[in-house]
Amino acid sequence: MKTQVAIIGGGPSGLLLSQLLYTQGIDSIVLERKTKDYVLGRIRAGVLEQGLVQMMEEAGCADRMKAEGFPHDGTEISYGDEIFRIDFAELTGTPVMVYGQTEVTRDLYEAREKSGGQIECNVEDVVIHDAKSDAPFVTFTQDGQERRIDCDYIAGCDGFHGVSRKTIPETVRKEYEKVYPFGWLGVLSETPPVNHELIYANSDRGFALCSMRNENLSRYYIQCPISDDPNNWSDEAFWEELKRRIPSDVAAKLVTGPLIEKSIAPLRSFVCEPMQYGRLFLCGDAAHIVPPTGAKGLNTAASDVYYLYHALTAFYKSGSSDGIEGYSAKALARVWKAERFSWWFSSLMHQYPDQTVFDHKMQIAELEFLRSNRAAQKAMAENYVGLPY
């Protein structure tokens, strides 16, 4: 096979890049090691920055998002029984969109299939060859047959455990990581959300988050030990613990019910530099991970796609390689700002095993400063709704 851009990874970032390139007449082939149903079965984040919303519009994939998504003009933050609101619309003029990552992926799959896009699923043994040359290619096995794609460029959108980052020699790449000493126990329930906007809660018992997918599907999280097991938590135990971590008047409104999904996610901050090696470019989790506190994972992947899409378009349309050569520096400049915000917000809202009374007092002082200071609220709102590309 031959194509202009080989895209490794059929998650939202790989599919979005493929669909955007298609709108510019640039050919691509997407390789995905799992099945489409498996990819669509992964439960992930659901807060979209305006930049990602606009890219979905440009890709021609925004109709269902506009019909079924929920624009949010703010979020609420609690500590103990105290609660205050950060007004995104008033502070930045921009909302966020609550729309599940699974739904984003579903819309992108539908668009690629409708336009005849080539997505190869169930591929194994993917190897990137000659990334530093003018003629890179990718080999893989599918249905027991070895196959090959010759291409101009390769986009590594295959996540933290994929082959793309590991293709960059260890002598070239530097990796920076912080592993947090706790995880998130996340659940889904077919119940109405307790609040029309997200609630981030700092409590003496640990962090909690009240989120949603739609009017009858709620997503809740509580901080837990990383060594914990979802099977240790009965439905009743989860609901009781959540109620203890949110303000009492909010807890009184909480509608409980059977949990339809329950899992524990570890938290880490991670960045790989550089994000390109010859004609190989890293996007999303292949290059960086953020703790989910700031809702930046999918959105930071989207900013990578934005830079790479525009760089490739400029090359194929006008012959300019400036965007391609500057991709890593431009992407990383924004990545590190997203990492900073996610680290800051995580540090503000969680209880740490080695946290002293002084540390806790500092958290409360920071929360009260955020509550009372418009400049602090504006800085948080600008980061939450998404820094400019």
Side-chain angles (χ1 to χ4, degrees):
M1 292 180 284
K2 185 169 179 59
T3 191
Q4 290 171 296
V5 183
I7 299 174
I8 303 174
S13 56
L15 294 171
L16 178 59
L17 177 61
S18 180
Q19 181 65 13
L20 286 167
L21 292 173
Y22 165 76
T23 67
Q24 300 299 319
I26 300 169
D27 187 48
S28 66
I29 297 175
V30 177
L31 301 180
E32 169 55 47
R33 67 187 183 94
K34 298 291 189 178
T35 65
K36 173 184 172 183
D37 288 344
Y38 179 91
V39 174
L40 292 176
R42 292 187 293 215
I43 303 299
R44 292 292 188 270
V47 177
L48 313 184
E49 294 177 357
Q50 200 61 34
L52 175 50
V53 171
Q54 290 169 356
M55 278 196 286
M56 289 290 285
E57 292 171 348
E58 188 174 349
C61 303
D63 290 350
R64 194 164 69 95
M65 178 182 64
K66 289 181 177 179
E68 300 178 13
F70 295 87
H72 278 200
D73 289 331
T75 194
E76 298 195 351
I77 298 175
S78 74
Y79 53 107
D81 269 341
E82 301 293 323
I83 192 165
F84 63 97
R85 182 170 183 267
I86 305 293
D87 190 328
F88 302 149
E90 194 268 332
L91 291 162
T92 71
T94 304
V96 292
M97 176 72 76
V98 174
Y99 187 65
Q101 179 173 319
T102 302
E103 305 311 314
V104 170
T105 309
R106 191 184 309 278
D107 295 342
L108 289 165
Y109 259 116
E110 184 179 315
R112 292 311 296 129
E113 290 168 353
K114 186 177 180 180
S115 60
Q118 189 172 350
I119 304 173
E120 302 290 339
C121 293
N122 287 317
V123 305
E124 298 176 315
D125 307 319
V126 175
V127 180
I128 297 167
H129 302 266
D130 297 347
K132 289 282 282 184
S133 76
D134 293 337
F137 64 98
V138 180
T139 59
F140 60 97
T141 304
Q142 188 179 43
D143 299 326
Q145 301 291 317
E146 186 168 317
R147 308 183 70 184
R148 169 174 169 153
I149 302 174
D150 291 284
C151 54
D152 299 330
Y153 295 100
I154 301 167
C157 306
D158 51 348
F160 182 76
H161 298 290
V163 302
S164 297
R165 183 180 71 256
K166 296 168 187 173
T167 298
I168 302 176
E170 291 184 6
T171 54
V172 174
R173 73 177 193 263
K174 291 184 179 179
E175 297 182 352
Y176 306 88
E177 184 175 42
K178 176 180 175 62
V179 177
Y180 295 81
F182 42 73
W184 277 15
L185 172 62
V187 306
L188 272 175
S189 66
E190 291 177 329
T191 55
V194 70
N195 191 53
H196 69 287
E197 292 178 339
L198 275 65
I199 298 175
Y200 290 87
N202 174 312
S203 85
D204 292 342
R205 300 182 65 88
F207 170 79
L209 171 61
C210 302
S211 184
M212 72 284 292
R213 287 295 175 267
N214 57 49
E215 293 173 339
N216 294 298
L217 188 62
S218 296
R219 185 80 162 139
Y220 295 106
Y221 302 89
I222 58 173
Q223 175 185 345
C224 66
I226 194 62
S227 59
D228 211 337
D229 186 322
N231 295 320
N232 293 338
W233 290 85
S234 67
D235 292 5
E236 183 180 77
F238 177 86
W239 290 120
E240 287 304 311
E241 184 60 30
L242 178 63
K243 288 178 181 178
R244 295 187 187 104
R245 299 189 186 194
I246 57 180
S248 54
D249 58 336
V250 177
K253 299 185 297 181
L254 185 67
V255 178
T256 64
L259 303 179
I260 58 175
E261 196 269 343
K262 196 186 304 176
S263 60
I264 291 178
L267 273 65
R268 70 155 56 90
S269 298
F270 174 86
V271 179
C272 170
E273 294 184 346
M275 287 175 57
Q276 65 189 99
Y277 179 68
R279 295 197 170 205
L280 166 65
F281 306 92
L282 304 183
C283 285
D285 288 0
H288 43 75
I289 302 283
V290 290
T293 323
K296 291 291 161 240
L298 175 59
N299 291 300
T300 309
S303 68
D304 297 342
V305 170
Y306 176 90
Y307 295 128
L308 185 54
Y309 158 59
H310 283 277
L312 291 168
T313 300
F315 174 76
Y316 284 112
K317 295 292 185 182
S318 66
S320 171
S321 60
D322 291 349
I324 286 172
E325 292 170 0
Y327 166 74
S328 181
K330 186 171 284 189
L332 281 167
R334 192 178 188 277
V335 162
W336 277 112
K337 293 183 180 73
E339 292 278 349
R340 184 211 67 84
F341 174 69
S342 300
W343 161 81
W344 168 80
F345 201 24
S346 297
S347 301
L348 179 65
M349 301 304 295
H350 291 83
Q351 301 300 313
Y352 286 72
D354 60 350
Q355 188 165 306
T356 65
V357 175
F358 178 85
D359 296 331
H360 181 64
K361 288 285 189 181
M362 286 298 98
Q363 280 186 329
I364 300 305
E366 178 105 2
L367 285 161
E368 290 182 347
F369 179 71
L370 182 62
R371 178 176 191 160
S372 62
N373 187 278
R374 178 182 169 84
Q377 290 187 9
K378 184 174 174 61
M380 179 187 168
E382 288 176 349
N383 279 274
Y384 196 95
V385 305
L387 298 173
Y389 292 157

